[in-house]
Amino acid sequence: MLVKVLSSSYLGIEPFLVEVEVDITNGLPIFTIVGLGDTVISESRDRIRSAIKNMGYNLEPKRIVVNLTPANMRKVGSHFDLPIAVGVMVGMRLVKDYTGILNRYMFIGELSLTGKIRRSHGVISGVLLAKELGYEGIVIPTENLKEASIIEGIKIIPADNLRDVMNFLQNEKVKEYKVPKIEENFVFDIDMSDVKGQEKAKRAIEISAAGGHNLIMVGAPGCGKSMLAKRISTILPEMNEKEIIETTKIYSISGGLNESKPIINKRPFRMPHHTTTSAAVIGGGKVPRPGEISLANNGVLFMDEFVEFPKDVIESLREPLEERKVSITRSMGKVEFPANFIFVAACNPCPCGFSFDDDKCNCSSFEIRRYAKKLSGPIIDRIDLYIEIRRLSEEEMINLSNGEKSLDIKERVKKARDIQIERFGDEKLNGYMSNKDLEKYCHLDSESEKIMRGAIRSLNLSMRAFNKVLKVARTIADLENCKIINKIHLMEALAFRKN
């Protein structure tokens, strides 16, 4: 008997339909799975046999052939256990699909040897695909219910074990359940007011958060670079529904969700160590997986001790910083991951870190130049905001009071972003403006044009750097609720360029 069960897999983060064909005939009792499945799928044969047996069903010695179509696309993941098991049980007439559920529902789930259905990766992608293709619903592990419940307009059937699935197939009886409430806890243990002084750096972070601009901070050890960067999350607006779904998809596929974190509704903050490899930061592998830049999507990627990262890691950031996505090509095809993040970097000005304090620095001019060359021109050109941070004096450390609270800064950031949403829709921030957008929204009067001509000569601005100055100036104007870019906005934007 030939049985067809619907499921899904994914290429990058994009899901595609997989038809699990199960053919059961008399003959030598073998269990074969074909269709470019990975090792996890090949091992599912033993899990499925034991799960069916331990749920009290008797498997006859038959010839079982499973085909995963389309056969020319690689499939990954343990979530094919359930659709294969359903196909086997229906094919052996251990259960009958009286109501034609197999044609209307998709199935996703990993099986334990006891028949329990366990949490699987990529469930939210399968739910989105089922909704997009017009299927009535999808059967998923109960452990994935919170993750799947953020998608509306499709029936979600949670199942604890194979017996729940069999009952559903026979009479379309669904076990009663409550959609679990997802707690929205946006309280942070840290606050921008924790940082004393460094007003210019705080201003740069506010501009970065408001317009989605990349930022690099250069300064001596202990001046507050990391402390400032970690607090950028506290001034970013909450994610909208589209951003939550997109980010949760990435974490679901990469295995970053669990019972305590079923969805990603708080903007990610990723901070890879400087020994991290290029594949871990950018993404890759034999079967391409999302890297840190994709896990930071709709959030912040902070690279502390930036110049200590391997050169290939630093240089591989060029395209993602410009294109807001990363393309990985393998023999199986091309995969794209989103990389729409705010990039924040911090580094020392020299090997010892004290070149801003001449009396403490023991580096030669040659060592300082060689250290600075680790940041290539193309990388610096892609940074919107560059700021040098000095250490606080003894008087400032003792007498300075705490600064402005994150909540107050966040309110200004949100208002500036609301202006950009009105201008571009929710697809774009000032940091991502195209050349046409610049012409339309960053018009310069004669006085501003004169200032920019002088800046091009004195700062040796490239065309990309010139555009970034205009983008930053546009964000500064939005923070001031100004419709046009004034001289003062332009001058402040130029103050954040590297001399």
Side-chain angles (χ1 to χ4, degrees):
M1 182 178 179
L2 178 64
V3 179
K4 186 186 294 183
V5 184
L6 302 170
S7 189
S8 72
S9 188
Y10 43 84
L11 187 62
I13 66 166
E14 295 305 319
F16 61 90
L17 182 68
V18 175
E19 294 182 352
V20 180
E21 299 175 331
V22 181
D23 187 31
I24 300 177
T25 57
N26 294 322
L28 192 66
I30 61 172
F31 196 147
T32 305
I33 299 176
V34 297
L36 276 184
D38 65 352
T39 304
V40 174
I41 295 174
S42 299
E43 291 174 346
S44 67
R45 296 172 296 192
D46 299 313
R47 290 195 296 273
I48 291 166
R49 280 199 189 99
S50 296
I52 293 174
K53 176 178 70 70
N54 290 325
M55 289 303 294
Y57 297 96
N58 183 32
L59 275 179
E60 296 180 21
K62 297 281 187 176
R63 185 175 186 272
I64 303 172
V65 179
V66 177
N67 180 38
L68 307 177
T69 62
N72 64 331
M73 295 184 72
R74 183 165 295 279
K75 295 92 182 170
V76 296
S78 58
H79 62 277
F80 286 106
D81 289 4
L82 179 59
I84 293 174
V86 168
V88 170
M89 295 183 74
V90 173
M92 287 191 172
R93 294 182 171 83
L94 299 177
V95 64
K96 292 184 180 180
D97 177 20
Y98 289 110
T99 57
I101 285 175
L102 295 185
N103 296 324
R104 298 183 283 122
Y105 284 79
M106 290 172 57
F107 293 78
I108 287 177
E110 176 187 332
L111 291 177
S112 72
L113 299 186
T114 63
K116 179 183 176 182
I117 302 175
R118 309 180 68 164
R119 171 179 289 275
S120 299
H121 298 170
V123 166
I124 191 171
S125 295
V127 176
L128 286 167
L129 180 67
K131 180 180 178 181
E132 181 185 330
L133 296 179
Y135 290 110
E136 190 171 325
I138 182 168
V139 179
I140 63 167
T142 302
E143 292 179 13
N144 289 103
L145 180 57
K146 285 185 180 179
E147 170 189 346
S149 63
I150 64 175
I151 308 299
E152 299 178 350
I154 186 168
K155 289 183 181 178
I156 308 294
I157 312 298
D160 290 324
N161 51 51
L162 268 179
R163 195 170 299 282
D164 289 344
V165 178
M166 296 306 107
N167 290 337
F168 178 64
L169 280 174
Q170 287 184 305
N171 51 34
E172 210 163 338
K173 183 179 180 182
V174 180
K175 187 177 177 181
E176 288 189 13
Y177 68 92
K178 291 182 179 180
V179 176
K181 184 179 179 181
I182 298 168
E183 296 182 5
E184 296 185 354
N185 182 16
F186 299 115
V187 178
F188 293 90
D189 297 328
I190 55 178
D191 194 273
M192 198 66 80
S193 62
D194 301 334
V195 184
K196 285 189 173 184
Q198 308 299 4
E199 297 304 323
K200 187 177 179 182
K202 290 179 182 177
R203 175 63 171 171
I205 285 178
E206 180 180 340
I207 295 168
S208 173
H213 302 288
N214 302 320
L215 165 68
I216 186 167
M217 295 178 284
V218 181
C223 67
K225 304 185 298 294
S226 301
M227 191 176 185
L228 283 161
K230 290 174 182 177
R231 282 155 178 75
I232 192 171
S233 296
T234 67
I235 65 172
L236 289 171
E238 282 77 29
M239 290 196 288
N240 59 37
E241 183 181 1
K242 182 180 178 182
E243 289 174 325
I244 290 172
I245 292 173
E246 183 182 49
T247 307
T248 302
K249 270 176 68 176
I250 298 170
Y251 276 76
S252 178
I253 288 168
S254 64
L257 301 180
N258 51 47
E259 187 62 30
S260 61
K261 190 171 70 172
I263 68 168
I264 306 300
N265 57 357
K266 185 185 288 187
R267 293 192 182 274
F269 181 88
R270 306 294 298 189
M271 186 179 170
H273 192 262
H274 65 262
T275 58
T276 307
T277 64
S278 178
V281 173
I282 304 301
K286 188 175 180 182
V287 177
R289 308 282 290 181
E292 290 290 331
I293 64 173
S294 296
L295 294 171
N297 190 59
N298 295 316
V300 179
L301 175 70
F302 175 46
M303 299 180 76
D304 201 5
E305 304 297 343
F306 187 44
V307 296
E308 301 300 332
F309 279 81
K311 188 174 179 60
D312 64 317
V313 174
I314 295 175
E315 297 303 321
S316 62
L317 289 170
R318 292 186 188 184
E319 289 81 4
L321 288 177
E322 195 74 15
E323 302 296 330
R324 304 287 170 178
K325 63 183 179 181
V326 58
S327 299
I328 300 171
T329 304
R330 295 289 183 269
S331 57
M332 60 182 286
K334 182 179 177 181
V335 175
E336 285 190 353
F337 293 111
N340 186 18
F341 58 91
I342 296 175
F343 176 66
V344 181
C347 64
N348 297 326
C350 66
C352 78
F354 297 104
S355 68
F356 292 161
D357 303 310
D358 295 334
D359 56 330
K360 294 182 180 179
C361 181
N362 55 16
C363 301
S364 67
S365 57
F366 172 74
E367 287 175 322
I368 294 174
R369 285 197 305 271
R370 184 175 64 179
Y371 191 79
K373 281 185 177 179
K374 291 184 178 181
L375 291 180
S376 66
I379 288 294
I380 290 295
D381 216 33
R382 286 167 168 79
I383 303 296
D384 304 50
L385 301 159
Y386 174 94
I387 183 160
E388 295 180 352
I389 305 178
R390 312 282 170 162
R391 300 178 76 178
L392 297 179
S393 66
E394 177 184 323
E395 192 68 24
E396 289 172 322
M397 288 184 192
I398 294 173
N399 294 326
L400 273 178
S401 59
N402 289 343
E404 196 175 15
K405 291 186 176 294
S406 291
L407 197 60
D408 299 326
I409 303 173
K410 181 177 179 178
E411 189 62 31
R412 293 198 299 269
V413 169
K414 188 177 184 305
K415 286 179 180 178
R417 287 204 173 195
D418 288 342
I419 292 171
Q420 294 166 71
I421 290 172
E422 188 178 339
R423 181 184 297 140
F424 302 116
D426 61 359
E427 300 291 330
K428 193 184 294 185
L429 294 173
N430 288 336
Y432 321 150
M433 282 194 287
S434 65
N435 289 336
K436 287 185 178 180
D437 294 328
L438 286 170
E439 291 177 9
K440 186 174 182 180
Y441 300 111
C442 299
H443 178 71
L444 300 179
D445 58 26
S446 57
E447 187 178 9
S448 297
E449 191 175 305
K450 186 177 179 181
I451 292 171
M452 286 306 297
R453 286 181 183 275
I456 291 169
R457 290 192 296 269
S458 61
L459 298 178
N460 193 25
L461 297 179
S462 67
M463 192 67 222
R464 181 187 286 117
F466 174 83
N467 288 342
K468 287 194 176 296
V469 170
L470 295 181
K471 293 175 184 179
V472 172
R474 179 66 267 170
T475 298
I476 294 170
D478 289 341
L479 283 166
E480 303 295 330
N481 197 20
C482 292
K483 292 187 177 181
I484 61 172
I485 297 174
N486 295 323
K487 173 184 173 181
I488 191 171
H489 306 140
L490 206 56
M491 294 295 287
E492 186 177 4
L494 287 168
F496 290 112
R497 293 306 304 177
K498 189 177 187 303
N499 294 327

